[in-house]
Short mmCIF file of all heavy atoms in Angstrom, two decimals:
data_model
loop_
_atom_site.label_atom_id
_atom_site.label_comp_id
_atom_site.label_asym_id
_atom_site.label_seq_id
_atom_site.Cartn_x
_atom_site.Cartn_y
_atom_site.Cartn_z
N TRP A 1 0.77 -1.34 0.07
CA TRP A 1 -0.05 -0.07 -0.03
C TRP A 1 0.78 1.23 0.00
O TRP A 1 0.31 2.40 -0.31
CB TRP A 1 -0.99 -0.02 1.25
CG TRP A 1 -0.25 0.00 2.40
CD1 TRP A 1 0.06 -1.21 3.21
CD2 TRP A 1 0.18 1.08 3.26
NE1 TRP A 1 0.68 -0.80 4.38
CE2 TRP A 1 0.69 0.53 4.56
CE3 TRP A 1 0.04 2.39 3.17
CZ2 TRP A 1 1.23 1.29 5.57
CZ3 TRP A 1 0.56 3.17 4.22
CH2 TRP A 1 1.20 2.76 5.37
N ARG A 2 2.08 1.16 0.39
CA ARG A 2 2.99 2.37 0.34
C ARG A 2 3.24 2.93 -1.00
O ARG A 2 3.43 2.06 -1.92
CB ARG A 2 4.23 2.03 1.21
CG ARG A 2 4.03 1.67 2.74
CD ARG A 2 5.41 1.34 3.33
NE ARG A 2 5.17 1.09 4.75
CZ ARG A 2 6.06 0.51 5.56
NH1 ARG A 2 7.15 0.04 4.99
NH2 ARG A 2 5.83 0.25 6.79
N GLY A 3 3.39 4.12 -1.08
CA GLY A 3 3.79 4.85 -2.26
C GLY A 3 2.83 4.90 -3.18
O GLY A 3 3.18 5.21 -4.49
N LYS A 4 1.52 4.72 -3.13
CA LYS A 4 0.56 4.70 -4.01
C LYS A 4 -0.54 5.89 -3.63
O LYS A 4 -0.93 5.85 -2.47
CB LYS A 4 -0.15 3.41 -4.25
CG LYS A 4 0.65 2.29 -4.74
CD LYS A 4 -0.07 0.95 -4.91
CE LYS A 4 0.86 -0.01 -5.50
NZ LYS A 4 2.12 -0.31 -4.74
N TRP A 5 -0.99 6.63 -4.58
CA TRP A 5 -1.90 7.64 -4.18
C TRP A 5 -3.15 7.06 -3.68
O TRP A 5 -3.77 7.66 -2.69
CB TRP A 5 -2.20 8.57 -5.50
CG TRP A 5 -1.34 9.36 -6.06
CD1 TRP A 5 -0.48 9.23 -7.21
CD2 TRP A 5 -0.73 10.47 -5.34
NE1 TRP A 5 0.53 10.23 -7.20
CE2 TRP A 5 0.46 10.99 -6.13
CE3 TRP A 5 -0.96 11.15 -4.01
CZ2 TRP A 5 1.21 12.22 -5.73
CZ3 TRP A 5 -0.20 12.22 -3.64
CH2 TRP A 5 0.86 12.73 -4.55
N LYS A 6 -3.71 6.03 -4.26
CA LYS A 6 -5.03 5.56 -3.80
C LYS A 6 -4.95 5.03 -2.30
O LYS A 6 -5.74 5.30 -1.66
CB LYS A 6 -5.51 4.35 -4.68
CG LYS A 6 -6.80 3.76 -4.28
CD LYS A 6 -7.32 2.83 -5.25
CE LYS A 6 -8.71 2.13 -4.76
NZ LYS A 6 -9.24 1.05 -5.63
N THR A 7 -3.93 4.22 -2.00
CA THR A 7 -3.84 3.66 -0.71
C THR A 7 -3.02 4.44 0.34
O THR A 7 -3.44 4.30 1.52
CB THR A 7 -3.30 2.25 -0.93
OG1 THR A 7 -1.98 2.28 -1.61
CG2 THR A 7 -4.19 1.37 -1.52
N GLU A 8 -2.16 5.14 -0.01
CA GLU A 8 -1.31 5.99 0.87
C GLU A 8 -1.80 7.36 1.07
O GLU A 8 -1.78 8.09 1.94
CB GLU A 8 0.03 5.86 0.82
CG GLU A 8 0.90 6.38 1.95
CD GLU A 8 2.38 6.11 1.87
OE1 GLU A 8 2.95 5.89 0.74
OE2 GLU A 8 3.11 5.99 2.95
N GLY A 9 -2.22 7.93 -0.11
CA GLY A 9 -2.70 9.37 -0.27
C GLY A 9 -1.78 10.35 -0.33
O GLY A 9 -1.90 11.42 -0.27
N GLY A 10 -0.42 9.86 -0.52
CA GLY A 10 0.74 10.65 -0.46
C GLY A 10 1.62 9.99 0.33
O GLY A 10 1.26 9.41 1.50
N SER A 11 3.05 10.09 0.27
CA SER A 11 3.92 9.45 1.03
C SER A 11 4.65 10.33 2.04
O SER A 11 4.37 10.20 3.21
CB SER A 11 5.04 8.71 0.10
OG SER A 11 4.45 7.70 -0.58
N LEU A 12 5.47 11.21 1.66
CA LEU A 12 6.20 12.06 2.57
C LEU A 12 5.28 12.84 3.50
O LEU A 12 5.30 12.73 4.69
CB LEU A 12 7.03 13.01 1.74
CG LEU A 12 7.74 14.23 2.55
CD1 LEU A 12 8.64 13.81 3.54
CD2 LEU A 12 8.22 15.25 1.64
N LEU A 13 4.29 13.53 2.96
CA LEU A 13 3.49 14.46 3.74
C LEU A 13 2.49 13.76 4.49
O LEU A 13 2.06 14.16 5.63
CB LEU A 13 2.84 15.45 2.68
CG LEU A 13 3.78 16.48 2.14
CD1 LEU A 13 3.03 17.40 1.21
CD2 LEU A 13 4.54 17.34 3.08
N MET A 14 1.90 12.56 3.96
CA MET A 14 0.85 11.90 4.68
C MET A 14 1.41 10.74 5.61
O MET A 14 0.62 10.30 6.48
CB MET A 14 -0.08 11.33 3.56
CG MET A 14 -0.86 12.18 2.80
SD MET A 14 -2.14 12.97 3.80
CE MET A 14 -3.35 11.63 3.76
N ASN A 15 2.62 10.57 5.54
CA ASN A 15 3.15 9.64 6.39
C ASN A 15 4.30 10.13 7.27
O ASN A 15 4.10 10.13 8.50
CB ASN A 15 3.80 8.33 5.53
CG ASN A 15 3.67 7.10 6.30
OD1 ASN A 15 3.73 6.99 7.57
ND2 ASN A 15 3.65 5.88 5.58
N GLN A 16 5.47 10.51 6.76
CA GLN A 16 6.66 10.85 7.59
C GLN A 16 6.57 12.30 8.08
O GLN A 16 6.70 12.49 9.37
CB GLN A 16 7.93 10.69 6.76
CG GLN A 16 8.31 9.39 6.46
CD GLN A 16 7.62 8.61 5.47
OE1 GLN A 16 7.49 9.22 4.27
NE2 GLN A 16 7.10 7.45 5.63
N ALA A 17 6.09 13.35 7.27
CA ALA A 17 6.13 14.67 7.77
C ALA A 17 4.80 15.10 8.54
O ALA A 17 4.89 16.21 9.01
CB ALA A 17 6.29 15.54 6.59
N ILE A 18 3.78 14.32 8.49
CA ILE A 18 2.59 14.67 8.99
C ILE A 18 2.57 15.06 10.46
O ILE A 18 1.82 16.02 10.85
CB ILE A 18 1.45 13.67 8.77
CG1 ILE A 18 0.07 14.29 8.79
CG2 ILE A 18 1.54 12.35 9.49
CD1 ILE A 18 -1.05 13.44 8.19
N HIS A 19 3.38 14.39 11.25
CA HIS A 19 3.41 14.74 12.65
C HIS A 19 4.06 16.12 12.86
O HIS A 19 3.60 16.89 13.65
CB HIS A 19 4.25 13.79 13.45
CG HIS A 19 3.47 12.42 13.68
ND1 HIS A 19 2.47 12.46 14.49
CD2 HIS A 19 3.84 11.22 13.30
CE1 HIS A 19 1.93 11.28 14.61
NE2 HIS A 19 2.83 10.36 13.85
N THR A 20 5.13 16.56 12.04
CA THR A 20 5.68 17.74 12.22
C THR A 20 4.82 18.79 11.68
O THR A 20 4.59 19.90 12.11
CB THR A 20 7.02 17.83 11.32
OG1 THR A 20 7.84 16.66 11.76
CG2 THR A 20 7.69 19.02 11.76
N LEU A 21 4.01 18.47 10.59
CA LEU A 21 3.04 19.46 9.88
C LEU A 21 2.02 19.69 11.04
O LEU A 21 1.47 20.97 11.19
CB LEU A 21 2.40 18.81 8.82
CG LEU A 21 2.88 18.80 7.47
CD1 LEU A 21 2.13 18.08 6.38
CD2 LEU A 21 3.11 20.31 7.05
N ASP A 22 1.56 18.69 11.92
CA ASP A 22 0.52 18.81 12.72
C ASP A 22 0.99 19.83 13.91
O ASP A 22 0.20 20.69 14.33
CB ASP A 22 0.04 17.48 13.34
CG ASP A 22 -1.06 17.69 14.39
OD1 ASP A 22 -2.13 18.15 14.01
OD2 ASP A 22 -0.78 17.36 15.55
N ILE A 23 2.18 19.57 14.37
CA ILE A 23 2.74 20.42 15.53
C ILE A 23 2.89 21.78 15.03
O ILE A 23 2.59 22.70 15.68
CB ILE A 23 4.02 19.78 16.09
CG1 ILE A 23 3.71 18.49 16.92
CG2 ILE A 23 4.76 20.73 16.81
CD1 ILE A 23 2.81 18.64 18.09
N TYR A 24 3.46 21.92 13.75
CA TYR A 24 3.66 23.23 13.23
C TYR A 24 2.39 24.14 13.22
O TYR A 24 2.32 25.23 13.66
CB TYR A 24 4.21 22.97 11.88
CG TYR A 24 4.53 24.23 11.06
CD1 TYR A 24 5.53 25.19 11.36
CD2 TYR A 24 3.80 24.37 9.73
CE1 TYR A 24 5.76 26.24 10.55
CE2 TYR A 24 4.10 25.51 9.00
CZ TYR A 24 5.05 26.47 9.44
OH TYR A 24 5.42 27.47 8.44
N GLN A 25 1.27 23.57 12.57
CA GLN A 25 0.10 24.28 12.49
C GLN A 25 -0.72 24.52 13.76
O GLN A 25 -1.22 25.42 14.09
CB GLN A 25 -0.75 23.70 11.46
CG GLN A 25 -1.39 22.28 11.74
CD GLN A 25 -2.62 22.33 12.60
OE1 GLN A 25 -3.37 23.29 12.55
NE2 GLN A 25 -2.86 21.31 13.38
N TRP A 26 -0.53 23.43 14.69
CA TRP A 26 -1.17 23.46 16.07
C TRP A 26 -0.54 24.57 16.90
O TRP A 26 -1.28 25.31 17.43
CB TRP A 26 -1.09 22.10 16.61
CG TRP A 26 -1.79 22.02 17.89
CD1 TRP A 26 -3.00 22.04 18.32
CD2 TRP A 26 -1.07 21.67 19.19
NE1 TRP A 26 -3.38 21.86 19.49
CE2 TRP A 26 -2.14 21.47 20.13
CE3 TRP A 26 0.18 21.38 19.52
CZ2 TRP A 26 -1.87 21.35 21.47
CZ3 TRP A 26 0.55 21.02 20.81
CH2 TRP A 26 -0.45 21.03 21.82
N ILE A 27 0.74 24.66 16.96
CA ILE A 27 1.42 25.61 17.80
C ILE A 27 1.03 27.03 17.32
O ILE A 27 0.87 27.92 18.21
CB ILE A 27 3.08 25.43 17.82
CG1 ILE A 27 3.29 24.20 18.49
CG2 ILE A 27 3.65 26.79 18.23
CD1 ILE A 27 4.89 23.87 18.51
N LEU A 28 0.94 27.25 16.02
CA LEU A 28 0.75 28.61 15.50
C LEU A 28 -0.74 28.97 15.26
O LEU A 28 -1.21 29.95 14.99
CB LEU A 28 1.39 28.62 14.15
CG LEU A 28 2.84 29.12 14.00
CD1 LEU A 28 3.01 30.49 14.57
CD2 LEU A 28 3.79 28.15 14.70
N GLY A 29 -1.63 27.99 15.68
CA GLY A 29 -3.13 28.33 15.73
C GLY A 29 -3.78 28.09 14.47
O GLY A 29 -4.97 28.71 14.28
N GLY A 30 -3.38 27.20 13.59
CA GLY A 30 -3.99 26.85 12.28
C GLY A 30 -3.76 27.66 11.08
O GLY A 30 -3.17 28.73 11.23
N VAL A 31 -3.81 27.07 9.84
CA VAL A 31 -3.49 27.64 8.69
C VAL A 31 -4.68 28.05 7.89
O VAL A 31 -5.77 27.28 7.84
CB VAL A 31 -2.64 26.64 7.77
CG1 VAL A 31 -2.46 27.02 6.49
CG2 VAL A 31 -1.30 26.42 8.56
N SER A 32 -4.70 29.31 7.36
CA SER A 32 -5.88 29.59 6.52
C SER A 32 -5.57 29.56 5.03
O SER A 32 -6.61 29.43 4.33
CB SER A 32 -6.15 31.17 7.04
OG SER A 32 -4.97 31.99 6.59
N GLU A 33 -4.26 29.83 4.53
CA GLU A 33 -4.01 29.68 3.07
C GLU A 33 -2.70 28.76 2.82
O GLU A 33 -1.89 28.87 3.79
CB GLU A 33 -3.82 31.07 2.60
CG GLU A 33 -5.05 32.08 2.63
CD GLU A 33 -4.59 33.38 2.07
OE1 GLU A 33 -4.34 33.56 0.92
OE2 GLU A 33 -4.62 34.35 2.99
N VAL A 34 -2.79 28.11 1.83
CA VAL A 34 -1.58 27.21 1.49
C VAL A 34 -1.35 27.40 -0.03
O VAL A 34 -2.25 27.39 -0.95
CB VAL A 34 -1.96 25.83 1.83
CG1 VAL A 34 -0.67 24.86 1.45
CG2 VAL A 34 -2.34 25.62 3.23
N CYS A 35 -0.13 27.31 -0.34
CA CYS A 35 0.42 27.28 -1.74
C CYS A 35 1.63 26.32 -1.72
O CYS A 35 2.60 26.57 -1.15
CB CYS A 35 0.79 28.61 -2.37
SG CYS A 35 1.39 28.48 -4.07
N GLY A 36 1.41 25.17 -2.39
CA GLY A 36 2.53 24.13 -2.25
C GLY A 36 2.89 23.50 -3.59
O GLY A 36 2.34 23.67 -4.65
N MET A 37 4.06 22.86 -3.55
CA MET A 37 4.63 22.17 -4.78
C MET A 37 5.15 20.80 -4.10
O MET A 37 5.62 20.74 -3.01
CB MET A 37 5.74 22.91 -5.42
CG MET A 37 5.26 24.21 -6.02
SD MET A 37 6.55 25.08 -6.92
CE MET A 37 6.80 23.97 -8.35
N HIS A 38 5.11 19.96 -5.07
CA HIS A 38 5.77 18.43 -4.60
C HIS A 38 6.33 17.75 -5.83
O HIS A 38 5.88 18.02 -6.96
CB HIS A 38 4.63 17.57 -4.00
CG HIS A 38 3.47 17.27 -4.80
ND1 HIS A 38 3.51 16.08 -5.51
CD2 HIS A 38 2.36 17.90 -5.14
CE1 HIS A 38 2.37 15.96 -6.19
NE2 HIS A 38 1.69 17.08 -5.99
N ASP A 39 7.16 16.87 -5.59
CA ASP A 39 7.70 15.96 -6.74
C ASP A 39 8.29 14.78 -6.20
O ASP A 39 8.57 14.55 -4.91
CB ASP A 39 8.76 16.92 -7.41
CG ASP A 39 8.90 16.40 -8.94
OD1 ASP A 39 8.56 15.26 -9.25
OD2 ASP A 39 9.52 17.28 -9.65
N ASN A 40 8.58 13.84 -7.09
CA ASN A 40 9.26 12.71 -6.87
C ASN A 40 10.59 12.79 -7.41
O ASN A 40 10.75 12.46 -8.63
CB ASN A 40 8.49 11.44 -7.32
CG ASN A 40 9.26 10.06 -7.07
OD1 ASN A 40 10.40 10.09 -6.67
ND2 ASN A 40 8.52 9.03 -7.31
#
C-alpha cells in the first residue's frame, strides 16, 4: 500500500512529515491559506 496515491494518499506528507506538520500548524493556531509544490 505504500507509495500509491489511492492507498497511501501521499507518502512524505501523509506519512513521515505529517506529525511535524501537525505540531507546526497547531502551535501557530492553524493555517488559513496554502500554496504548495511537490515532486518525486
Side-chain angles (χ1 to χ4, degrees):
W1 59 272
R2 292 176 178 165
K4 297 179 175 63
W5 288 115
K6 182 178 180 181
T7 49
E8 194 172 23
S11 290
L12 164 69
L13 292 176
M14 291 289 282
N15 206 334
Q16 287 78 52
I18 195 164
H19 282 298
T20 313
L21 277 176
D22 180 65
I23 289 299
Y24 177 67
Q25 66 83 27
W26 181 64
I27 285 175
L28 274 298
V31 170
S32 60
E33 297 178 62
V34 183
C35 180
M37 299 181 71
H38 65 92
D39 207 340
N40 180 348

